[in-house]
Amino acid sequence: VQLQASGGGLVQPGGSLRLSCAASGSIFSINAMTWYRQAPGKQRELVAGITSGGSTNYADSVKGRFTISRDNAKNTSYLQMSSLKPEDTAVYYCNADLVRTTAWGRSRADYWGKGTLVTVSS
C-alpha cells in the first residue's frame, strides 16, 4: 500500500492550492483520511480529517479557508486550500487509516504519504 501526496507548490498570499492524496495497493477499505503539516522548527499538526462517512474536522487555524473531501471510488482525499497565508507554509502530509488485504486475510494499518511542500510567499 502506498500513499502519494501531490499538488504542493509556491503560491502568493491570498491564493489557492489543491492537494491530493491517492492511496494504492491491496486496499479493502479506508476509514479516516487526514492531512497534517509540519512547518520548519515546529511539530507536526493536524490540519483536517474526514471519515469514511464524510464527517470532517479542522484545525481552528484553517477553518473557513480549507476544505477536505474524498473520492472513495478513487481512494483519494483532497485538501482545497484558499486564502492562503504565509503561516500556512509547511510540508503537508497525508495519512490514511485503512484495512488492507494480505495473503493471510485483512489487517488494519496506518499509512503516511511522503509529503508535499506548500510555500506561501510574495
Side-chain angles (χ1 to χ4, degrees):
V1 174
Q2 290 185 330
L3 260 60
Q4 181 66 50
S6 61
L10 174 64
V11 62
Q12 292 187 341
S16 299
L17 278 177
R18 190 177 84 152
L19 306 183
S20 299
C21 176
S24 61
S26 299
I27 298 168
F28 175 75
S29 64
I30 301 179
N31 301 316
M33 301 187 81
T34 309
W35 286 92
Y36 291 80
R37 67 185 180 187
Q38 187 165 19
K42 294 188 177 181
Q43 290 187 330
R44 190 173 297 189
E45 62 175 356
L46 184 145
V47 177
I50 185 168
T51 68
S52 57
S55 296
T56 59
N57 65 291
Y58 298 91
D60 288 342
S61 59
V62 307
K63 281 181 181 177
R65 300 188 298 121
F66 291 10
T67 301
I68 189 170
S69 61
R70 63 190 285 172
D71 184 332
N72 291 329
K74 295 182 179 180
N75 289 334
T76 299
S77 70
Y78 305 96
L79 186 67
Q80 178 66 48
M81 305 185 294
S82 304
S83 302
L84 283 161
K85 305 174 181 180
E87 51 263 44
D88 294 318
T89 295
V91 177
Y92 283 71
Y93 298 90
C94 61
N95 173 277
D97 171 14
L98 58 84
V99 177
R100 61 177 182 151
T101 301
T102 71
W104 302 274
R106 298 169 188 164
S107 67
R108 185 171 179 175
D110 206 49
Y111 285 87
W112 290 88
K114 286 189 177 180
T116 184
L117 176 63
V118 172
T119 303
V120 184
S121 175
S122 54

